[in-house]
């Protein structure tokens, strides 16, 4: 359990292996209430969260897996992120290192093992075994600003979860099947799907329990200005 914001930031990670232990609804509601304290442009609070557990989660998972296995990926509703071949440097290299660290180093899946990689990726659609699955959407009316607001809400939820001894994983992969999500969750027409979120207790005995990603040093992304240029 994280007792400070600093501790929550340092221990937050994208957890891809969960125990089946249930998370009480009252606890999920408390975490969402905390996340709702996140800043938003002019306090618009454009987010909406669909929470799935039990039979509802199993039904959505089954439909997502069926759509995945049948290759029914849908075109993006908006330009959320680059396609696989569209990433530019330095982001392409960082993405490649992430993939190598996850698949090869942590899971022992070699680059040429397409079936192995696909099998792990497929676990996204069961929320990596987490007992709680969420789908975050925002209004498309103030879309660009709403996406920033959604990121703030998402970070607030992740840190609140760490404060409760829980882990999360944000899942952009679910937007590939937004028609399935819309059918199950009755997403309003003026909303777009931002991501899925897995929530639960980490399975620390899983081989991914020790997997951690690296971060760039402050010197790589921060410029300090303390004097006026000549």
């Amino acid at each position: 359990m994280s007792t400070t914001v600093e501790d929550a930031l340092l221990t937050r990670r994208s957890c891809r292996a969960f125990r089946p232990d249930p998370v009480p609804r009252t606890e999920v509601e408390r975490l969402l209430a905390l996340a709702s304290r996140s800043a938003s442009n002019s306090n618009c609070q454009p987010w909406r969260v669909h929470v799935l557990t039990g039979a509802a989660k199993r039904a959505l998972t089954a439909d997502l897996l069926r759509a995945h296995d049948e290759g029914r990926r849908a075109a993006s509703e908006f330009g959320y992120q680059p396609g696989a071949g569209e990433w530019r440097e330095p982001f392409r290299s960082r993405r490649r290192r992430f993939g190598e660290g996850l698949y090869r180093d942590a899971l022992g899946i070699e680059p040429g093992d397409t079936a192995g990689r696909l099998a792990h990726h497929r676990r996204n659609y069961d929320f990596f075994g987490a007992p709680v699955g969420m789908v975050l959407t925002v209004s498309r009316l103030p879309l660009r600003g709403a996406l920033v607001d959604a990121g703030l809400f998402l970070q607030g939820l992740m840190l609140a979860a760490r404060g409760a001894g829980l882990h999360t994983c944000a899942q952009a992969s679910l937007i590939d099947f937004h028609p399935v999500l819309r059918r199950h969750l009755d997403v309003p027409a003026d909303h777009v799907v931002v991501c899925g979120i897995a929530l639960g207790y980490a399975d620390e005995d899983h081989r991914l329990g020790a997997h951690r990603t690296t971060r760039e040093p402050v010197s790589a992304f921060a410029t300090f200005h303390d004097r006026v240029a000549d």
Side-chain angles (χ1 to χ4, degrees):
M1 183 175 295
S2 300
T3 57
T4 67
V5 173
E6 180 176 358
D7 186 38
L9 284 165
L10 290 172
T11 61
R12 188 215 64 80
R13 59 186 173 90
S14 294
C15 180
R16 293 179 171 85
F18 290 88
R19 304 200 313 261
D21 311 44
V23 180
R25 175 170 172 165
T26 53
E27 181 67 348
V28 177
E29 291 177 343
R30 187 182 74 84
L31 298 178
L32 290 172
L34 289 171
S36 75
R37 302 301 305 171
S38 301
S40 63
N41 188 6
S42 300
N43 199 32
C44 286
Q45 305 172 68
W47 47 70
R48 181 169 291 190
V49 184
H50 299 265
V51 183
L52 295 118
T53 58
K57 177 176 171 286
R58 289 192 294 272
L60 175 62
T61 289
D63 211 354
L64 286 170
L65 289 171
R66 196 157 40 244
H68 172 271
D69 294 345
E70 294 172 358
R72 289 190 277 117
R73 279 184 168 80
S76 175
E77 296 181 279
F78 58 98
Y80 182 80
Q81 61 182 357
E86 298 173 344
W87 292 80
R88 298 187 178 184
E89 295 296 347
F91 315 113
R92 180 186 300 170
S93 293
R94 292 174 185 170
R95 188 169 183 260
R96 184 175 61 251
R97 287 196 299 270
F98 161 75
E100 291 172 350
L102 175 63
Y103 288 103
R104 185 191 62 197
D105 301 340
L107 291 169
I109 301 173
E110 294 299 328
D113 186 356
T114 303
R117 290 186 170 224
L118 184 62
H120 174 74
H121 178 78
R122 191 176 184 272
R123 297 183 62 242
N124 272 281
Y125 305 108
D126 186 30
F127 297 90
F128 295 108
V132 180
M134 302 185 191
V135 175
L136 174 63
T137 72
V138 291
S139 171
R140 69 172 74 239
L141 303 179
L143 180 57
R144 295 184 188 278
L147 290 174
V148 175
D149 299 338
L152 292 169
F153 179 91
L154 186 60
Q155 179 79 317
L157 178 60
M158 290 174 164
L159 297 182
R162 288 304 302 127
L166 294 158
H167 274 285
T168 56
C169 185
Q171 300 170 269
S173 57
L174 267 67
I175 66 177
D176 290 339
F177 301 99
H178 58 85
V180 177
L181 300 177
R182 287 187 176 280
R183 185 166 62 253
H184 278 258
L185 306 178
D186 194 23
V187 177
D190 68 321
H191 270 235
V192 294
V193 177
V194 177
C195 66
I197 308 160
L199 171 73
Y201 296 97
D203 181 359
E204 301 295 356
D205 294 329
H206 193 279
R207 63 188 307 168
L208 286 173
H211 177 60
R212 301 292 184 273
T213 53
T214 59
R215 293 295 184 272
E216 296 294 311
V218 172
S219 60
F221 62 80
T223 302
F224 291 83
H225 305 266
D226 60 2
R227 65 183 63 187
V228 178
D230 293 334

